[in-house]
């Protein structure tokens, strides 16, 4: 039987990063993955493939709607080859997962394929091609999450689908009905809208991306509506049925009146649930809460002292980069170091176009907490760079403490905001004031100038270019 200092169950961004950091710190490390490829949901059926399709569909949209304005003329019709587009996406996934194989090899991490389940707190059975058993001084549970559904919905994976199936459709839907106006539904909705599908988003809450700042929800809905996506907020879905190739969704609107939607595909995008199937956590004595999450303390340690848990399987936002930070924290804690994570400064991103990104507190949260704040906002359309690329939708908004000027939240929507948000995270990690950001030189012309201008707006309302 092989013995290890650390065994990691699950090879998503949290799991494989935890394994690498443990190996870097001199621990003999093993990683266990139930699927044939490493990388978890993110690399195989989540973040990476969805970005590949978003980029491909964006090129197509530009070709048919914007090339002519740029002076680029394409004779004949521009056509979508969905099969080729999906194949390119798969190529990106394959290349990325092979990269994880290389990293495991480079860091001398033993990889086991099969379902990892606890025999007890220090022994793990791996049910793969052959049954194996290993011993681990410490174990990190990083088993991730799976798409959620609603109790009355039968997800048949053909016409009533999750994000996993939406990434490999054989045809462009005629009418794609999306249940849920969160990140995943909106990203995939935009992919298929660009490719020619009619897209309807049915959302239970009164706005899309309901966990983000209300101003972002409003702006994103306005932009996507212009692009032809239909939105039905404050609608409670109560029935989903399929007859042949037709799917019917029945919902009650905010007045309680029944409305129905008919389409050829229904994407169920109502969030994700922690995944612990087959883990046999109880055999190790590990407690799960009523949401199915593994219970942990502030050090991500379970009630069993040598077992830790990270990522989507524990409380908090289900984000790959949050899982990575937690993986590093556990590895460094095991090595006797004193790492920390400020969960308030984990950014959130929606990869639609325009992109949406945020970090820190929303206006709604500050109002609820009774915090006095000031706000500075700057429109993307006032930037020379945005006009040059024809990406004029959106804005950057900075919220700062009314007395100290410390930045409390940054909310942005526009071109490349997924990348711009890191500036805000850096500033807030060092507890910058809005004036601090406003006095830093930003290259011209860039989208990043909107951050400086929003900081100027929050500092005595002195933005220069509006």
């Amino acid at each position: 039987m092989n013995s290890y200092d650390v065994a990691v169950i699950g090879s998503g961004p949290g799991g494989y990063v935890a394994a690498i950091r443990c190996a870097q710190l001199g621990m003999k490390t093993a990683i266990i993955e139930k699927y044939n490829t490493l990388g978890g949901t993110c690399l195989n059926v989540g973040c990476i493939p969805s970005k590949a399709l978003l980029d491909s569909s964006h090129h197509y949209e530009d070709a048919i709607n914007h090339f002519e304005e740029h002076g680029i003329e394409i004779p004949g019709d521009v056509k979508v080859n969905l099969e080729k587009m999906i194949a390119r996406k798969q190529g990106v996934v394959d290349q990325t997962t092979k990269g994880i194989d290389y990293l495991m090899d480079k860091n001398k991490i033993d990889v086991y394929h099969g379902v990892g389940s606890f025999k007890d707190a220090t022994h793990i059975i791996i049910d793969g091609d052959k049954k194996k058993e290993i011993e681990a001084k410490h174990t990190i549970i990083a088993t991730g999450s799976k798409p959620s559904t609603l109790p009355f919905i039968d997800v048949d994976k053909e016409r009533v689908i999750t994000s996993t199936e939406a990434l490999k459709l054989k045809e462009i839907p005629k009418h794609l009905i999306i249940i849920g106006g969160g990140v995943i539904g909106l990203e995939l909705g935009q992919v298929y809208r660009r490719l020619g599908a009619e897209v309807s988003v049915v959302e239970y809450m009164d706005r899309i991306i309901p966990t983000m700042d209300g101003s972002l929800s409003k702006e994103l809905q306005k932009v996507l509506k212009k692009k032809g996506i239909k939105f039905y907020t404050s609608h409670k879905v109560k029935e989903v049925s399929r007859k042949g190739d037709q799917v019917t969704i029945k919902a009650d609107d905010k007045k309680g009146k029944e409305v129905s939607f008919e389409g050829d595909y229904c994407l169920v995008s109502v969030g994700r649930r922690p995944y612990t199937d087959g883990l046999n956590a109880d055999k190790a004595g590990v407690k799960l809460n009523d949401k199915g999450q593994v219970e942990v303390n502030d050090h991500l340690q379970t009630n069993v002292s040598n077992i830790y848990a990270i990522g989507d399987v524990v409380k908090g936002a289900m984000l790959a980069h949050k899982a990575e930070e937690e993986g590093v924290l556990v590895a460094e804690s095991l090595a006797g170091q004193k790492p920390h994570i400020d969960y308030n400064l984990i950014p959130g991103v929606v990869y639609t176009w325009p992109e949406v990104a945020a970090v820190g507190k929303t206006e709604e949260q500050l109002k609820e907490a009774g915090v006095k704040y000031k706000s500075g906002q700057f429109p993307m359309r006032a930037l020379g760079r945005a006009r040059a690329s024809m990406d004029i939708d959106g804005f950057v908004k900075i919220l700062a403490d009314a007395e100290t000027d410390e930045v409390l939240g940054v909310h942005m929507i526009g071109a490349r905001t997924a990348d711009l948000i890191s500036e805000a995270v850096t500033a807030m990690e060092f507890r910058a004031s809005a004036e601090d950001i406003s006095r830093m030189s930003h290259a011209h012309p860039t989208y990043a100038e909107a951050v400086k201008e929003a900081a100027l707006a929050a500092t005595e309302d002195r933005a220069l270019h509006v």
Side-chain angles (χ1 to χ4, degrees):
M1 185 192 304
N2 290 336
S3 293
Y4 296 92
D5 296 316
V6 180
V8 183
I9 305 177
S11 73
Y16 84 73
V17 166
I20 290 171
R21 191 69 187 116
C22 286
Q24 286 178 340
L25 291 164
M27 296 172 233
K28 189 183 178 188
T29 308
I31 193 163
I32 303 158
E33 172 53 56
K34 69 178 281 192
Y35 294 111
N36 294 327
T37 54
L38 303 179
T41 294
C42 177
L43 272 65
N44 289 279
V45 291
C47 330
I48 302 302
S50 60
K51 301 313 152 288
L53 290 182
L54 279 160
D55 278 341
S56 293
S57 61
H58 198 169
H59 286 309
Y60 174 68
E61 182 183 44
D62 279 345
I64 58 171
N65 293 329
H66 305 303
F67 274 15
E68 199 172 323
E69 205 170 336
H70 282 283
I72 303 166
E73 294 178 1
I74 302 171
D77 292 335
V78 179
K79 293 177 183 172
V80 175
N81 183 331
L82 185 63
E83 189 180 352
K84 205 168 185 178
M85 195 179 280
I86 299 284
R88 187 196 84 91
K89 172 223 63 170
Q90 194 54 45
V92 172
V93 169
D94 293 344
Q95 191 179 359
T96 310
T97 56
K98 279 173 188 155
I100 308 303
D101 293 338
Y102 162 76
L103 292 172
M104 296 302 101
D105 192 45
K106 178 194 169 192
N107 288 283
K108 298 180 173 57
I109 296 162
D110 289 349
V111 177
Y112 293 90
H113 287 282
V115 176
S117 56
F118 286 106
K119 181 181 177 183
D120 55 43
T122 54
H123 294 86
I124 300 164
I125 293 165
I126 301 151
D127 194 357
D129 291 341
K130 292 178 184 174
K131 256 194 180 171
K132 292 176 184 169
E133 185 178 330
I134 62 170
E135 185 177 37
K137 192 174 167 187
H138 298 97
T139 298
I140 302 172
I141 300 168
T143 48
S145 62
K146 290 279 182 189
S148 292
T149 184
L150 297 171
F152 52 85
I153 297 178
D154 175 23
V155 177
D156 61 25
K157 300 187 178 183
E158 292 173 355
R159 294 283 164 178
V160 182
I161 60 175
T162 70
S163 55
T164 303
E165 294 78 47
L167 292 165
K168 54 184 181 185
L169 290 181
K170 298 279 194 290
E171 62 179 357
I172 297 163
K174 293 181 186 70
H175 183 192
L176 175 63
I177 303 163
I178 300 169
I179 301 174
V183 179
I184 298 166
L186 295 178
E187 288 179 3
L188 290 169
Q190 187 166 39
V191 167
Y192 287 108
R193 177 69 198 121
R194 285 167 172 164
L195 300 182
E198 184 185 343
V199 175
S200 300
V201 177
V202 185
E203 167 58 44
Y204 176 72
M205 302 293 280
D206 61 356
R207 61 186 177 96
I208 60 171
I209 49 170
T211 59
M212 299 185 90
D213 192 275
S215 62
L216 297 178
S217 304
K218 191 176 175 184
E219 180 75 2
L220 182 61
Q221 182 165 330
K222 183 180 87 178
V223 175
L224 294 181
K225 210 171 174 182
K226 274 195 291 185
K227 292 179 185 291
I229 296 178
K230 293 172 182 160
F231 291 95
Y232 302 88
T233 52
S234 301
H235 277 60
K236 183 182 179 181
V237 174
K238 59 183 183 181
E239 187 184 311
V240 176
S241 58
R242 175 188 173 184
K243 193 172 182 182
D245 291 346
Q246 184 174 292
V247 183
T248 304
I249 288 89
K250 288 184 180 174
D252 290 333
D253 67 13
K254 59 183 166 189
K255 292 178 182 171
K257 183 186 167 192
E258 184 178 280
V259 288
S260 66
F261 306 88
E262 289 182 356
D264 52 342
Y265 286 92
C266 171
L267 169 59
V268 181
S269 184
V270 292
R272 298 180 65 84
R273 63 174 179 86
Y275 185 75
T276 56
D277 299 13
L279 184 63
N280 288 343
D282 55 328
K283 289 196 176 174
V286 172
K287 281 185 188 168
L288 307 183
N289 65 19
D290 54 3
K291 292 179 182 172
Q293 297 164 328
V294 178
E295 283 194 357
V296 290
N297 62 18
D298 291 343
H299 305 288
L300 300 166
Q301 187 178 36
T302 70
N303 60 302
V304 180
S305 62
N306 68 311
I307 300 175
Y308 295 75
I310 62 171
D312 290 6
V313 83
V314 301
K315 64 187 176 183
M318 289 185 171
L319 298 167
H321 46 284
K322 176 253 198 187
E324 289 183 8
E325 297 300 330
E326 291 180 334
V328 170
L329 182 138
V330 171
E332 292 180 353
S333 298
L334 291 174
Q337 298 180 13
K338 301 211 179 299
H340 84 284
I341 297 172
D342 184 344
Y343 285 98
N344 182 49
L345 299 185
I346 303 281
V349 178
V350 188
Y351 293 89
T352 49
W353 198 264
E355 292 176 336
V356 185
V359 66
K361 302 297 183 193
T362 65
E363 283 206 57
E364 291 82 3
Q365 288 169 330
L366 292 176
K367 283 173 184 168
E368 195 179 326
V371 176
K372 289 181 180 173
Y373 68 93
K374 49 190 181 161
S375 173
Q377 188 165 311
F378 188 82
M380 287 293 189
R381 66 177 57 244
L383 294 176
R385 182 69 187 87
R387 288 194 294 274
S389 67
M390 294 171 59
D391 293 306
I392 57 172
D393 291 315
F395 57 81
V396 174
K397 179 168 77 172
I398 292 179
L399 308 174
D401 188 281
E403 291 175 16
T404 67
D405 197 36
E406 181 179 349
V407 177
L408 303 175
V410 180
H411 308 277
M412 47 178 77
I413 174 169
R416 300 290 167 216
T417 57
D419 301 304
L420 292 185
I421 199 64
S422 295
E423 177 182 353
V425 176
T426 304
M428 290 174 72
E429 278 284 7
F430 287 93
R431 301 195 66 176
S433 66
E435 188 174 3
D436 287 334
I437 297 173
S438 76
R439 292 193 178 277
M440 294 174 190
S441 178
H442 286 62
H444 173 78
T446 58
Y447 302 117
E449 287 176 282
V451 180
K452 178 186 173 87
E453 292 277 5
L456 281 165
T459 309
E460 299 169 354
D461 194 21
R462 52 192 182 92
L464 296 166
H465 288 91
V466 281

